Each structure stands twice: as C-alpha cells, then as structure tokens.
C-alpha cells in the first residue's frame, strides 16, 4: 500500500513500529541515523518518512531540513516522532519541513491514521504536480510563509538561464513573492522582477485556503504599442500607423487631427496612402484590418 521509511536510533523503537506497519501491509524501510536515511530516500523514494527528532550525529530536525533542500525529495511528507511535546520542539520540527508530530510512545491506531492521511495527501499533490509538469508551465508553489514547496521542471530549466539562480531565487524572487502576497493590488497582474542580465515576470496563479500559493514565472514580455504593431505588420510609415490606430478606435478625422496635433487635411492624405497600401476603399474596411492586426 505504502512504503514508509522509519528513522530512529533505537532498535527497539524500530522493531515496534515495523511490527505495527507490517500488520497493516505497509512496506517498511529502516535507518538508524540521519545520513543513512537521506541515502535510502535518494535511492528508493518512500511515500512517507517517520523521523525521530532526537538522534546522535545528525538529529531529526537537521535531517528533515536536508531532505527538504533536495528537489527530488522535498515532496515526501516527514512526520516527527519524539518524546518532546513542548511547543518549541513542535514548532522547530514544523519549521524544518515536517508535516506532523507524533508523541512517543506511539499509539498504533494514531500512527496508521496519520500515515494514511499524509501519504494520500502527498499522492494527490504529486498527481497534480505531474499534470502541471505535462502542460509545460513555468510554475512553482510556496506556503504562506513564502517558502518553496515545489516547482515544475520547466521552472528549473528557466532558472538555469539566470546567473547564480539559487541565490537570486532566495534573495530576490521569494521576497517578491511575499510582497505580492501582502499587497492585493499586485495580485491581479504580472509583476517585473529583475536579475543581473534581464527581467522576468512573476504572476500569482492561485491561492489555497491553507495559504499555499502557485506562481508563474516567465520572461518579461516586450511592450509594443498599437501603432508599432500596425507599422510592423502592415508596412506603414510611423504617421500612417498612428492615423490608422486612432481610426480603428472609432475617432473621426477631426479628432485624429487634434490627438496627433496635425491638420485635418493631413489626416486625409495619410488615410489615402493607408487605403492604397491596404488595398481598400473605405474607412470601415481599413479599420477592420487594423483591429485584426492589433488582436494578434
């Protein structure tokens, strides 16, 4: 049903938990210390990790933090097991990346229930992430504290083009994410974020009730005016494209003359040239061509 990695420096605890899991048909992997646990997780990728908080050498908190730093392992839920029940220890475990806390001595029914809940949630999240990966979007998710939860492969590919990407992401991108989350006005459009050799755009895609948010990151789109579009696509002069642009916006010759600060007769002359270049005979047809060009 699931594969669970149990990490504890006590052989007795490992034996007890292994017996509990085996009765439920759950495959069990065991590790006696943190470094061994990380090695096993890299090779086998368990569905969930039960981690003793207090261990010699590498304690559970540091082990969890290292697991979450590995992009290939950070999606695996970590549940701490410890006799420490004070709020400081609990908070330390959650800050390290743990999703839950189980007090020792372990209650078998509670243990199984928590494994099923967190393993199922992780599988749902993994399926959703795989779906996002398949559509090729530069997406990543953060929790309500602005900490990275996951990112699609396309996002990692995008970041390879940014100098010192890891430092930039932590020092520039994550603060930009927190700024957007704190300001509702910034959540309705893409926001520019600079890096050494260019600018990218960051946009909030969705926000869950638990505070997790999904963002999209892309190259900054070049801003091109409507007049520039018409000039480039229809092979017009600068003034001709300006006249046609305002014509497509429903302006009369007199209004166009006022906007561009030129004479009405000059507007007429430019329109004659526009009609000839477009192969049309009237304003309506010319405006239709301009509107279609602007829409592309």
């Amino acid at each position: 049903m699931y594969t669970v990695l149990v990490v504890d420096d006590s052989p007795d605890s490992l034996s007890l938990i292994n017996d509990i899991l085996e009765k439920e048909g759950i495959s069990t992997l065991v590790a006696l210390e943190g470094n061994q646990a990380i090695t096993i997780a890299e090779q086998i990728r368990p569905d969930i990790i039960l981690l003793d908080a207090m261990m010699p050498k590498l304690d559970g908190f540091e082990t969890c933090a290292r697991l979450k730093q590995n992009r290939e392992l950070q999606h695996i839920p970590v549940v701490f097991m410890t006799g420490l029940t004070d709020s400081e220890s609990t908070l330390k475990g959650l800050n390290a990346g743990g999703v839950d806390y189980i007090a020792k001595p372990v209650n078998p029914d509670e243990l199984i229930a928590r494994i099923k809940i967190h393993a199922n949630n992780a599988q749902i999240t993994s399926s959703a992430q795989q779906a996002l990966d398949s559509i090729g979007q530069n997406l990543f998710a953060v929790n309500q504290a602005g900490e990275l939860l996951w990112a699609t492969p396309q996002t990692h590919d995008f970041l390879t083009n940014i100098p010192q990407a890891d430092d930039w992401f932590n020092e520039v991108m994550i603060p930009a994410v927190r700024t957007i989350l704190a300001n509702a006005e910034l959540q309705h459009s893409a926001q520019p974020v600079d890096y050494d050799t260019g600018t990218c755009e960051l946009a909030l895609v969705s926000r869950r009730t638990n505070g997790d948010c999904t963002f999209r990151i892309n190259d900054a789109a070049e801003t091109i005016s409507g007049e520039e579009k018409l000039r480039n696509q229809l092979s017009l002069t600068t003034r001709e494209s300006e006249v046609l642009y305002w014509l497509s916006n429903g302006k009369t010759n007199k209004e166009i003359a006022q906007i561009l600060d030129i004479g009405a007769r000059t507007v007429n002359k430019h329109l004659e040239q526009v009609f000839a270049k477009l192969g049309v005979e009237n304003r309506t047809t010319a405006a239709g061509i301009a509107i279609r060009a602007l829409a592309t």
Side-chain angles (χ1 to χ4, degrees), residues 63-70 73-78 96-97:
T63 300
C64 184
R66 293 190 186 183
L67 287 166
K68 296 305 175 180
Q69 290 170 0
N70 187 323
L73 306 178
Q74 60 187 200
H75 67 284
I76 302 174
V78 175

Side-chain angles (χ1 to χ4, degrees), residues 88-236:
E88 183 178 350
S89 297
T90 302
L91 185 60
K92 187 176 180 180
L94 296 176
N95 286 336
V99 297
D100 207 346
Y101 228 87
I102 296 179
K104 288 184 176 181
V106 172
N107 179 294
D109 292 336
E110 179 185 4
L111 176 64
I112 297 302
R114 289 177 187 263
I115 287 175
K116 290 180 178 179
I117 289 171
H118 293 299
N120 283 335
N121 288 342
Q123 289 178 354
I124 292 171
T125 300
S126 178
S127 297
Q129 185 175 343
Q130 289 174 7
L132 292 172
D133 292 350
S134 68
I135 62 176
Q137 293 285 327
N138 297 341
L139 300 173
F140 66 91
V142 297
N143 60 21
Q144 58 186 344
E147 299 166 329
L148 182 66
L149 298 175
W150 55 261
T152 62
Q154 291 78 16
T155 299
H156 294 305
D157 291 342
F158 179 88
L159 293 175
T160 61
N161 297 317
I162 295 178
Q164 298 179 320
D166 288 339
D167 291 340
W168 173 83
F169 193 90
N170 293 325
E171 297 172 7
V172 179
M173 179 58 69
I174 292 301
V177 164
R178 291 171 179 157
T179 298
I180 291 174
L181 294 179
N183 191 330
E185 294 182 358
L186 302 179
Q187 298 173 15
H188 303 295
S189 60
Q191 302 300 315
V193 182
D194 295 329
Y195 55 92
D196 285 349
T197 57
T199 301
C200 62
E201 289 183 340
L202 178 65
L204 177 64
V205 176
S206 65
R207 192 168 193 169
R208 299 179 59 190
T209 54
N210 67 354
D212 292 352
C213 297
T214 303
F215 282 83
R216 180 174 57 249
I217 181 174
N218 285 312
D219 288 316
E222 293 185 13
T223 303
I224 181 170
S225 67
E227 294 92 330
E228 289 177 305
K229 272 193 172 184
L230 295 178
R231 184 175 71 246
N232 295 335
Q233 294 189 37
L234 303 178
S235 300
L236 304 176

Side-chain angles (χ1 to χ4, degrees), residues 267-289:
V267 172
N268 284 330
K269 290 182 179 180
H270 285 306
L271 281 177
E272 290 174 1
Q273 294 298 318
V274 170
F275 293 167
K277 289 183 177 182
L278 299 183
V280 301
E281 298 181 353
N282 57 61
R283 299 165 62 90
T284 302
T285 307
I289 292 174

